[in-house]
Amino acid sequence: MSEAIARQIDPSQMKVSDEVAIQISQMNKWYGTFHVLRDINMTVNRGERIVICGPSGSGKSTLIRCINRLEEHQQGQIIVDGTELTSDLKNIDKVRSEVGMVFQHFNLFPHLTILENLTLAPIWVRKTPKAEAIEVAMHYLRKVKIPEQANKYPGQLSGGQQQRVAIARSLCMKPRIMLFDEPTSALDPEMIKEVLDTMIELAEEGMTMLCVTHEMGFAQAVANRVIFMDQGQIVEQNNPKEFFNNPQSDRTKLFLSQILGH
Amino acid sequence: MNTSTSTFVRTEMLPEQSPPLTEAGAVKWVRENLFSSVLNGILTVLGVAVVAYIIVGIAPWLSRSVWNAGSLSECRQIIAATWGEGVTGACWAVIRERWPQYLFGFYPSHLYWRPVLAFALLVVAVAPVLFDKLPRKMLWFSLVYPAVGFWLLWGGSVWVPVTALAGFAIGYAAAKLIQPVAGTILATIAAVLAPVLWWLFLAGPVADALHSIMPIALQGVRSREFGGFVLAFTIGFTGIAFSLPLGVMLALGRQSDMFIVNKLSVGFIEFIRGVPLITLLFTASLLLNYFLPPGTDFDIILRVIIMVVLFAAAYIAEVVRGGLAALPRGQYEAADALGLDYWKAQRLIIMPQALKISIPGIVSTFIGLFKDTTLVVFVGLLDPLKGITDAVRASTDWKGIYWEPYIFVGAIFFLFCFGMSRYSMYLESKLKTDHR
Ligand SMILES: Nc1ncnc2c1ncn2[C@@H]1O[C@H](COP(=O)(O)OP(=O)(O)OP(=O)(O)O)[C@@H](O)[C@H]1O
Ligand SMILES: [Mg+2]
C-alpha cells in the first residue's frame, strides 16, 4: 500500500497550531433505534491531519458526515470553527461554507462541465463574480494537474481525474477544513497515487484534514494522528508511528493484522 | 509468411481494400434488415401487405378530391361527372369553405387578427424557451406573454392582465422581503399566499380603479365565442405552460419531509390521477357554480384550463418523481456539502438532471393534454374535432359529410404532436452529457 505514496514527508515536521478547529464532545447518534455513534469525544486542532480507520460499518462515514451536518446527531456537541451545529440553518450554512467534503464516488454534477462544477458554488453561494470564479477554478485545476479538462464533462474523465476535480471543487470554496470519505476506494490502483499525491500536497500546505481511508501508507506519510473506530466508538488514537508499531487494544491489533495482510 | 517461427515483424503495410461486392449496398441492407431470418421475412411480407392494403383502400378516394364546391351534394355531382357514377371521392371543399370556423370558432370575424397576432407572439415567446441559442433577454417577453396573449384573445381592459401579472411581482417581492427576516420556509409561504390574496381581493378593484383613470381597452370577446383551434391552442398551451411548474412543485412536495406538504401533495396527486378528466371538466362547468358565491362570473374557459392544468400537473408530478428517484443521493449530498440551499440545489443540480431524465414522460403528458383539449366539447365548448364539425354538419350544405373534417383536424393535431415529439428527441440528444 505504501508504494502508492510517491514522496515521503515527515508529518512531525508540519506545524499544528493549538487553535481548535473541530470540537466534538459527548456526541451520540442513532439511526432509528440503532446506536451508530457512541459517546464520541475528539478535538481537532488547526493544521492537523487525521486519518480515521476501522472495520466496515464502524461509523466512520457517519462521524465525518456529522461534522458538516450531512447527518444529524442527537446528543452532545459538535463545534466547527467556533460555530455549534444545531438545527439552526444559518449555522449549518456557515459551517458548510468552511468545510469541504470529498466523497468516495466523487459526486460530480454530470450535467455540468468541469469548469461549471468548480464555479457553481462560488458563484451561487459566495456570490463571487463569474470571471473571478473562473480564475480561481482554473488555478485549482492547474493545481490538481488537469487544467486541459476544464470544458469536458465528468463522464469523459477517468476516475482519478474525477476525484481530483472533486477535490478542486471543494477547494474553490476556500474551505478551512477538508473531509475525505474513502476518496480512493472506488479507484483503480494506478489512479490512487495521483489522488493521494494531491492530498499530500494539500496537507503540506497546512490544510486541516480528516480522512477516512484504508491507505495506511498515506496515514504513515501525512497523518499526525490515527483514529481507530469500532462499533461506533473511538477505540484508539495515537500518532501513526505508535499506532502501527505498538497498537494497544486487541481490536486494533486484529484490524491491523487484517488490513496489513499478515 | 513462415508460420513455424514465433517472432514476426511486418515489413510491408497492407493497402486498404474495398469490401466484397455482395456485402455492400442495397442488397446487403435488405438482407440484413428485412430478411435476416424466416420470422423477419414473414413479418416483412405481412407488413408490406398491410401497408399496401391501406394505400389501395385510400388512394383512389384521395385521388378523386374536390376542392371547389358550395355543398356536399355539389361535391358529389362533380365527382360523378368527372369520375363516373357510383364512385366515392374526397370533398375537401368543406375545409376550403369552413376553415375560418375550424380555426376561430365563432370568434368575431373582424377581430381574427387578434388570435393570429397572439399566435405569432406565442411563437416568439416560446422560441427562446425551446432554443437556448436565442438571446436570453427574450425570456422577459416569454414571462409577460401570458398577459399579452390573454388581452389579445379576450380583450377588455388592459388593466386586468396587468394587475394579474403584478401578482407575481408581489409574490417575488414578498419572498425577498421575508427571506432575510424569517427564513426560506416562511418566505416560500409568503410567495404563494401574497399573490393569491392579491388576486382574490385586490386585483379586481385595483384594475377597475386604474381603468377609470386611464381607460385602455380592446373590444371584449366572450369565452362562448371561442372555438376551433383557437380554443384548443388556448387551453393546450396554457395547460402546458402552467402544468409543468405546478407538477414540479407537487413532485417536490411529495418528496418533502414536511408532513402537511407531503400529505397534501400525495392526496392531490392520487385524487386527480384517480378521476377521469371528463369528471373534472363537468365539475368545472357545473358543480363549481354551486360552491361559488351566486353571481360570480367565473369564466368557463378559465375553469376548464384550471382543471386541465391540475390534471396534467398530477401526471407530470409522478413523471418528475421518477426522475428525482433516479438521481443518486450523492448529488444531494454534494450540493449540501457545497453550501447550496434547498432551492438553489433544486434549481441548479437536481431539477436539471431530474427533468432531463423525465423529458419523454413529460412530453407524453403534454401530447396527451393537447389532444385531451378536444374533450371540452362535453362542457359545451366548440372544440375543433367534434364541436366545430357538428356545427358544420348542422348546416344543410354540409349535412352528411364525414371523413374530411376529421382527417383535416387530425392532421393538424398530428403536426403539433409530432413536432413536440421530435423536439423532445432533439432536447434529449442535446442534453446528453453522460457519455455512457
Ligand atoms: N441511513 C442509514 N440508516 C440506517 N442505518 C445506517 C444508515 N447509514 C448507515 N447506517 C448503518 O450505520 C452503521 C455505520 O455506517 P457507516 O457508513 O458510518 O460505516 P463506515 O464505517 O463508513 O463503513 P464503511 O467502511 O463500509 O464505509 C452501519 O452499520 C450502517 O449499516
Ligand atoms: Mg463509509
Side-chain angles (χ1 to χ4, degrees):
Chain A
M1 247 166 282
S2 50
E3 57 268 18
I5 305 299
R7 292 167 305 172
Q8 286 290 334
I9 55 173
D10 183 359
S12 56
Q13 291 296 302
M14 289 159 57
K15 63 172 193 298
V16 171
S17 87
D18 39 7
E19 192 185 332
V20 174
I22 303 170
Q23 170 85 56
I24 301 178
S25 39
Q26 304 289 315
M27 192 262 275
N28 280 283
K29 171 168 178 61
W30 288 261
Y31 281 125
T33 57
F34 175 53
H35 197 172
V36 54
L37 291 178
R38 306 179 194 179
D39 212 16
I40 303 287
N41 287 293
M42 116 190 207
T43 307
V44 180
N45 287 349
R46 195 161 295 296
E48 275 203 286
R49 288 111 16 225
I50 292 177
V51 161
I52 303 172
C53 60
S56 180
S58 55
K60 309 177 298 288
S61 300
T62 311
L63 173 61
I64 70 166
R65 289 156 62 85
C66 282
I67 294 172
N68 68 350
R69 194 73 173 190
L70 287 184
E71 301 288 352
E72 205 175 309
H73 62 282
Q74 282 96 18
Q75 266 181 16
Q77 250 191 344
I78 301 179
I79 300 174
V80 182
D81 247 340
T83 309
E84 182 176 358
L85 281 171
T86 56
S87 55
D88 186 345
L89 288 174
K90 277 214 181 79
N91 285 358
I92 295 175
D93 285 345
K94 184 148 177 279
V95 166
R96 282 179 179 165
S97 67
E98 298 285 323
V99 178
M101 178 143 187
V102 175
F103 301 87
Q104 180 175 2
H105 295 288
F106 332 134
N107 296 353
L108 295 178
F109 305 130
H111 63 302
L112 301 176
T113 64
I114 301 306
L115 194 60
E116 287 165 342
N117 264 279
L118 266 64
T119 54
L120 182 107
I123 290 175
W124 290 94
V125 180
R126 290 248 194 269
K127 313 279 181 217
T128 315
K130 194 171 171 193
E132 194 187 322
I134 291 178
E135 211 171 287
V136 172
M138 289 311 296
H139 167 77
Y140 284 110
L141 275 185
R142 276 193 293 275
K143 205 168 147 137
V144 301
K145 306 197 175 59
I146 35 176
E148 72 282 357
Q149 313 284 3
N151 293 312
K152 289 198 183 163
Y153 286 94
Q156 294 167 296
L157 268 55
S158 76
Q161 291 173 326
Q162 291 193 44
Q163 192 60 298
R164 282 183 284 157
V165 170
I167 295 174
R169 179 174 70 179
S170 294
L171 293 178
C172 281
M173 288 295 279
K174 306 266 169 72
R176 308 184 69 182
I177 300 167
M178 284 286 284
L179 308 174
F180 295 84
D181 190 0
E182 306 205 27
T184 56
S185 53
L187 298 177
D188 293 336
E190 67 268 29
M191 297 171 184
I192 292 181
K193 181 180 169 302
E194 60 192 48
V195 171
L196 289 182
D197 281 348
T198 305
M199 290 167 62
I200 291 171
E201 233 172 85
L202 206 56
E204 285 173 328
E205 286 164 17
M207 176 68 78
T208 311
M209 292 166 68
L210 264 83
C211 185
V212 175
T213 184
H214 293 127
E215 293 293 332
M216 292 306 144
F218 174 78
Q220 276 162 333
V222 300
N224 62 322
R225 190 151 36 120
V226 181
I227 292 180
F228 175 67
M229 287 185 72
D230 195 10
Q231 296 184 1
Q233 304 156 56
I234 295 181
V235 174
E236 186 164 344
Q237 51 175 313
N238 213 333
N239 65 53
K241 204 175 228 161
E242 286 294 307
F243 182 83
F244 288 111
N245 297 332
N246 190 16
Q248 300 297 311
S249 110
D250 291 342
R251 287 177 187 280
T252 318
K253 284 177 194 159
L254 181 67
F255 174 74
L256 283 177
S257 72
Q258 282 165 349
I259 197 153
L260 297 176
H262 291 304
Chain B
M1 200 199 324
N2 188 349
T3 49
S4 64
T5 52
S6 56
T7 54
F8 165 67
V9 177
R10 186 177 290 287
T11 48
E12 264 176 287
M13 300 311 280
L14 298 176
E16 191 182 353
Q17 289 182 338
S18 48
L21 258 188
T22 50
E23 288 305 311
V27 176
K28 175 180 176 228
W29 187 90
V30 166
R31 198 164 49 213
E32 280 184 0
N33 290 287
L34 300 180
F35 297 99
S36 64
S37 67
V38 177
L39 179 64
N40 193 351
I42 294 173
L43 290 176
T44 301
V45 171
L46 270 179
V48 169
V50 168
V51 172
Y53 179 78
I54 293 171
I55 291 178
V56 167
I58 294 177
W61 180 77
L62 264 184
S63 72
R64 298 189 278 267
S65 289
V66 174
W67 286 92
N68 268 317
S71 68
L72 185 57
S73 48
E74 196 187 331
C75 249
R76 288 191 174 138
Q77 278 167 14
I78 295 174
I79 290 168
T82 324
W83 291 286
E85 290 291 336
V87 298
T88 55
C91 182
W92 302 110
V94 64
I95 309 297
R96 189 189 168 100
E97 196 186 276
R98 295 302 188 97
W99 66 267
Q101 218 173 346
Y102 274 101
L103 292 190
F104 302 104
F106 292 95
Y107 208 89
S109 56
H110 67 285
L111 298 178
Y112 279 176
W113 64 272
R114 273 164 45 182
V116 170
L117 181 62
F119 185 76
L121 291 178
L122 173 71
V123 173
V124 178
V126 165
V129 178
L130 296 187
F131 302 102
D132 62 1
K133 296 234 167 49
L134 292 168
R136 297 293 83 192
K137 290 239 164 57
M138 283 173 77
L139 284 172
W140 285 107
F141 178 69
S142 313
L143 281 180
V144 295
Y145 175 79
V148 177
F150 169 84
W151 192 47
L152 281 172
L153 287 173
W154 275 275
S157 165
V158 73
W159 298 110
V160 174
V162 169
T163 48
L165 263 190
F168 292 101
I170 287 170
Y172 180 78
K176 278 280 153 203
L177 279 179
I178 291 181
Q179 162 95 32
V181 194
T184 309
I185 296 174
L186 284 181
T188 311
I189 295 173
V192 176
L193 219 56
V196 168
L197 291 176
W198 163 261
W199 286 322
L200 283 181
F201 299 110
L202 285 171
V206 170
D208 287 345
L210 284 168
H211 187 72
S212 60
I213 301 168
M214 203 199 286
I216 307 173
L218 286 173
Q219 180 186 335
V221 178
R222 283 175 302 116
S223 286
R224 290 282 172 196
E225 293 170 298
F226 280 57
F229 282 103
V230 166
L231 181 69
F233 284 136
T234 305
I235 299 172
F237 280 98
T238 325
I240 285 172
F242 287 94
S243 61
L244 183 59
L246 183 62
V248 168
M249 296 316 289
L250 283 170
L252 291 179
R254 191 164 190 167
Q255 288 229 316
S256 164
D257 309 327
M258 284 184 270
F259 183 81
I260 297 291
V261 174
N262 179 292
K263 291 293 171 272
L264 279 179
S265 305
V266 173
F268 177 87
I269 291 168
E270 294 306 339
F271 172 73
I272 298 276
R273 291 204 311 161
V275 172
L277 178 57
I278 301 273
T279 316
L280 294 178
L281 293 178
F282 279 136
T283 314
S285 83
L286 305 169
L287 285 176
L288 276 187
N289 279 346
Y290 294 111
F291 295 121
L292 292 170
T296 349
D297 176 28
F298 195 9
D299 186 88
I300 177 72
I301 293 185
L302 186 60
R303 281 187 262 169
V304 164
I305 285 176
I306 289 174
M307 287 306 177
V308 168
V309 166
L310 297 183
F311 189 76
Y315 281 86
I316 287 179
E318 285 300 281
V319 171
V320 173
R321 187 167 72 99
L324 287 171
L327 283 196
R329 234 168 73 106
Q331 293 290 307
Y332 294 88
E333 291 175 353
D336 282 347
L338 285 171
L340 293 163
D341 66 30
Y342 178 80
W343 291 112
K344 280 183 191 142
Q346 288 298 339
R347 202 178 109 209
L348 301 166
I349 310 297
I350 307 303
M351 274 308 150
Q353 296 184 63
L355 289 179
K356 184 173 89 179
I357 299 171
S358 321
I359 288 172
I362 291 176
V363 173
S364 291
T365 311
F366 283 169
I367 288 176
L369 181 157
F370 186 48
K371 290 187 297 184
D372 282 351
T373 58
T374 51
L375 293 177
V376 298
V377 69
F378 291 108
V379 293
L381 290 171
L382 293 172
D383 82 297
L385 192 66
K386 184 164 165 57
I388 297 290
T389 302
D390 283 356
V392 167
R393 280 202 297 229
S395 70
T396 46
D397 283 348
W398 300 109
K399 199 157 171 278
I401 192 121
Y402 195 76
W403 287 103
E404 294 83 348
Y406 291 140
I407 292 176
F408 170 70
V409 173
I412 293 187
F413 269 107
F414 175 79
L415 217 63
F416 280 88
C417 294
F418 187 64
M420 284 192 244
S421 159
R422 297 310 294 192
Y423 175 77
S424 94
M425 288 167 74
Y426 153 82
L427 200 60
E428 268 179 81
S429 67
K430 196 188 76 165
L431 296 180
K432 194 170 179 322
T433 58
D434 52 2
H435 306 281
R436 254 180 280 175

